[in-house]
Amino acid sequence: MLKDLYDSVSVLKGVGPKKVEALEELGIRSIYDLLTYYPFRYDDFQVKDLTQIVDQEKVTLKGKIAADPVIAHFGRKRNILNIRLLVDNDVIKVTFFNQPWLKKQLPVGKEVLIHGRFDKAKASLAGIKILSSVDNNEMNAIYPANKHIRQKTISDLVQLAFDEYKDAIDDIIPDKIIDKYKLEKQVKVIHDMHFPTNNQDAMLARRTAKFNEFFLFQMQLQSLKMAEQKDKGIEINYSDSDMEKFIEELPFKLTCAQLRVVKEIYADLKSNRQMNRLLQGDVGSGKTIVAALSILATIDGGYQAALMAPTEILAEQHANKLAKLFENTKVNVALLTGDTKAAAKKELLPRIASGEINLVIGTHALIQDTVIYNNLGLAIIDEQHRFGVNQRKILREKNDGTNVLAMTATPIPRTLAITSYGEMDVSIIDELPNGRQPVKTAWIKEGQFKNSIPFIKERLNSGEQIYVVTPLVEESEAVDMKNAVNIYENFQKLFEPDFKVGLLHGRMKDEKKNSIMGSFENNEFQILVSTTVIEVGVDVSNATMMIVFNADHFGLAQLHQLRGRVGRGSSQSYCLLVSDPKTETGVKRMNVMVQSNDGFIISQKDLELRGPGDIMGKAQSGLPEFKVGDPVADLKMLSIAQQEAILVVNTNNWQNEPEYSKLYSYVQQKNNNKMFD
Ligand code: ADP
Ligand code: MG
């Protein structure tokens, strides 16, 4: 009988409860998990030819002992065993430290295999170990282990599992695709990932393993997307001429890119399937007006709309701007946040439930619990970069057919678009409104700041306003506040009474924050010192300079967001990064900011600078975790895997085609297990 790869590892000989637990810590539950628990590197014990060896490489040499080994002593405890090894016609000097007993194993004339680090210039080998036989003459897989389970144990268990289950290893990926990309069969992949005979085999196996991983992941995403596209959505029959008229009367002309994405969204709204769309655009590219036009169409078609912002400040700003924009329309706006007083809320809720209020703007709470809508046709999530696939799924399922539009704060790299957002349709605004000038950015050391003061005064004298931002440097908010307060007091000394300085920090009540933001918008003060609370979204077009202290404490995406607060009008804007970075990455980040204004480039650099080892950074960036594939470095393969998955799910009735039957049951099983956590 064929064994089942999803058997628990406990069926293996010698695997009791203790080992089950230890394996579980490594994420290994089934035989399949174990067989795909791949090594991260190999010790290469293959015998190499002297001519092939690179300096400082770890290699195995095969040779004859040319002379009696000699032990040299250094003090009482240290000694070196010196060996002369004849490899072909060359004599290589081999040394072992503090292992005098090895001498016995190395009589003159004996043929031996010695593994060590090779030094080309000295023609010498720093010995690591003597290999007993030809058995060891291979690549040794090295696994990520933990303190409850050893390398060797994992390796032995993999061997055991492979021997017992190899006949059950099957190709989930259709043969067609295996042939098309010259991939290897799964049983060979698993064998060669764990027990390769040479580097080439290991590399080829890894190539297929990566493709498999990406492809299977994409199959789940794309089939989810397919299923969602079948979801019945609210069909919104707005009037084209109403929309055209409104667009005509805007104070500015929409960019081509804005028009294009509005069309894409309108097509979704009009159709009877549920929209699930991600709107991407650089900072300042004008996503808000696109949102506004989507809202207007929804309300024109007789439905309600909700706009969710990540912060209260942003929600309030949106509410003010949209109320003004929609002054002469049937849009009836209400702001609903955690700050809304109970009495006001009590008054608002029935009006939302009756549909009298048709646009609700607020924070998260909007789509949770107590708020009941009359007929919510569209939910927009602004500056969305904190939701995973699962959370988005829940959001969609919460509302019966409500169309969903998510807007990113900054562009996201392709890698993220096709992994973390792979189930959504994507619209991109790849153009800035006319007349925008790129923000001029400079990076200075803290000690040089005083040299910038005359320039800052110049800006203020010409009637412009300035943001000053300081990051979360310490763990404690109190300390940060002190930092911001210090800067605030210094700026007061420097610029008052000619110009007024305001302070905004995270510890303030939202009401206070909002009133300060309001005063800044009204130019009641010219300099706003703040902690990162202003980071996202705010729009004060008279502000033309952004000064960021300790700039290296921010990530690239955040810096780009911050810089995007200026340069929103037509006058030249400036960004001054003040920092003394202590790491090389910090320096690189500063240079990227100085060199580029393009959010698409910056977000890509951001991912690259996080590097493959930076698990935390990657997790924060929202990338899903892969076992062998690196979605940043292997982007091309990832894209190909995505295309192939799209082809499959678009195949008519693929779920019932024999060539996809294993693939289909795999996807079914995974999706039932909620793998997108
Ligand atoms: P973001 O995409 O960062 O959210 P906003 O929607 O806040 O950007 O837009 C930035 C600024 O550009 C706003 O002041 C907005 O009024 C203005 N704007 C948007 N579209 C255009 C356009 N087509 N022409 C001129 N100005 C525009
Ligand atoms: Mg915005």
Side-chain angles (χ1 to χ4, degrees), residues 322-357:
L322 292 184
K324 218 165 127 208
L325 182 70
F326 291 140
E327 222 161 23
N328 303 313
T329 64
K330 35 188 154 171
V331 177
N332 204 355
V333 188
L335 177 70
L336 187 63
T337 70
D339 272 4
T340 309
K341 297 247 157 52
K345 198 169 170 184
K346 205 172 154 199
E347 189 260 334
L348 277 177
L349 288 178
R351 295 169 62 207
I352 295 173
S354 74
E356 179 206 339
I357 288 169

Side-chain angles (χ1 to χ4, degrees), residues 252-255 258 283-288 433 436 539 568:
F252 46 74
K253 219 170 146 268
L254 293 182
T255 61
Q258 283 171 321
V283 183
S285 63
K287 295 182 286 285
T288 313
R436 288 282 170 78
D539 188 23
R568 301 173 85 80

Side-chain angles (χ1 to χ4, degrees), residues 250-256 258 279-291 314 317-318 321 382-383 407-410 429 431-436 536-541 561 564-565 567-569:
L250 286 175
F252 46 74
K253 219 170 146 268
L254 293 182
T255 61
C256 293
Q258 283 171 321
L279 175 61
Q280 282 203 66
D282 208 342
V283 183
S285 63
K287 295 182 286 285
T288 313
I289 189 67
V290 172
L314 200 53
Q317 204 177 54
H318 276 321
K321 293 217 152 145
D382 189 21
E383 314 288 357
M407 309 200 285
T408 57
T410 42
I429 308 181
E431 181 187 359
L432 293 180
N434 251 336
R436 288 282 170 78
V536 282
V538 294
D539 188 23
V540 179
S541 54
Q561 259 298 318
R565 298 307 109 214
R568 301 173 85 80

Side-chain angles (χ1 to χ4, degrees), residues 9 15-30 33-34 37 143-150 154 157 625 627:
V9 282
V15 178
K18 268 241 167 75
K19 279 212 179 101
V20 167
E21 207 173 297
L23 287 167
E24 180 141 2
E25 269 176 47
L26 299 174
I28 303 170
R29 290 185 193 87
S30 66
D33 294 337
L34 180 62
Y37 190 74
Y143 298 90
N146 64 22
K147 62 175 188 281
H148 303 296
I149 192 156
R150 292 181 315 137
I154 297 174
L157 288 176
E625 272 185 51
K627 281 180 176 174

Side-chain angles (χ1 to χ4, degrees), residues 625-641:
E625 272 185 51
F626 292 99
K627 281 180 176 174
V628 272
D630 176 343
V632 179
D634 306 320
L635 174 61
K636 208 170 149 201
M637 187 186 266
L638 178 60
S639 313
I640 292 171

Side-chain angles (χ1 to χ4, degrees), residues 78-219:
R78 295 188 302 150
N79 58 69
I80 297 181
L81 179 65
N82 286 302
I83 303 153
R84 292 164 75 80
L85 187 71
L86 188 65
V87 181
D88 300 326
N89 295 316
D90 295 293
V91 175
I92 303 295
K93 195 179 136 189
V94 181
T95 52
F96 278 96
F97 287 91
N98 300 330
Q99 298 173 67
W101 58 86
L102 291 177
K103 186 170 159 47
K104 278 196 300 244
Q105 299 174 31
L106 304 165
V108 182
K110 183 176 177 191
E111 184 148 277
V112 288
L113 295 165
I114 302 182
H115 188 70
R117 188 184 291 281
F118 190 70
D119 186 314
K120 207 155 188 162
K122 293 185 193 149
S124 69
L125 189 76
I128 296 170
K129 66 174 169 183
I130 298 170
L131 305 180
S132 51
S133 67
V134 212
D135 281 359
N136 277 326
N137 184 3
E138 60 181 25
M139 315 259 296
N140 245 22
I142 308 294
Y143 298 90
N146 64 22
K147 62 175 188 281
H148 303 296
I149 192 156
R150 292 181 315 137
Q151 278 291 329
K152 179 82 169 67
T153 315
I154 297 174
S155 176
D156 290 347
L157 288 176
V158 172
Q159 181 77 63
L160 193 63
F162 185 78
D163 290 344
E164 287 186 20
Y165 282 83
K166 61 172 174 287
D167 293 335
I169 298 174
D170 215 345
D171 286 283
I172 302 174
I173 301 199
D175 289 341
K176 222 168 42 190
I177 295 178
I178 294 184
D179 293 344
K180 183 166 171 188
Y181 296 103
K182 303 202 164 35
L183 303 172
E184 288 174 328
K185 292 280 190 187
Q186 190 65 4
V187 70
K188 180 158 168 58
V189 171
I190 289 180
H191 178 272
D192 286 359
M193 283 296 282
H194 296 288
F195 323 109
T197 35
N198 55 51
N199 237 326
Q200 167 115 8
D201 282 359
M203 268 160 55
L204 286 176
R206 193 160 287 263
R207 175 175 172 272
T208 298
K210 280 181 183 178
F211 187 92
N212 285 357
E213 187 173 33
F214 286 151
F215 176 76
L216 294 177
F217 176 78
Q218 283 295 333
M219 275 306 299

Side-chain angles (χ1 to χ4, degrees), residues 454-517:
F455 184 77
I456 297 174
K457 286 202 166 137
E458 232 174 80
R459 310 272 37 95
L460 292 165
N461 278 322
S462 49
E464 294 160 23
Q465 288 167 277
I466 297 180
Y467 291 108
V468 180
V469 171
T470 123
L472 268 159
V473 177
E474 307 285 334
E475 285 298 302
S476 108
E477 238 180 311
V479 179
D480 281 326
M481 201 182 84
K482 217 171 115 202
N483 197 14
V485 170
N486 267 340
I487 290 174
Y488 169 63
E489 284 169 355
N490 278 332
F491 270 69
Q492 280 184 315
K493 275 185 213 131
L494 283 168
F495 299 103
E496 286 194 343
D498 296 353
F499 305 102
K500 271 196 80 192
V501 186
L503 174 67
L504 188 69
H505 59 73
R507 283 206 153 183
M508 288 172 170
K509 285 247 158 61
D510 285 316
E511 218 168 314
K512 184 91 193 282
K513 285 188 206 162
N514 289 335
S515 93
I516 288 174
M517 265 328 286

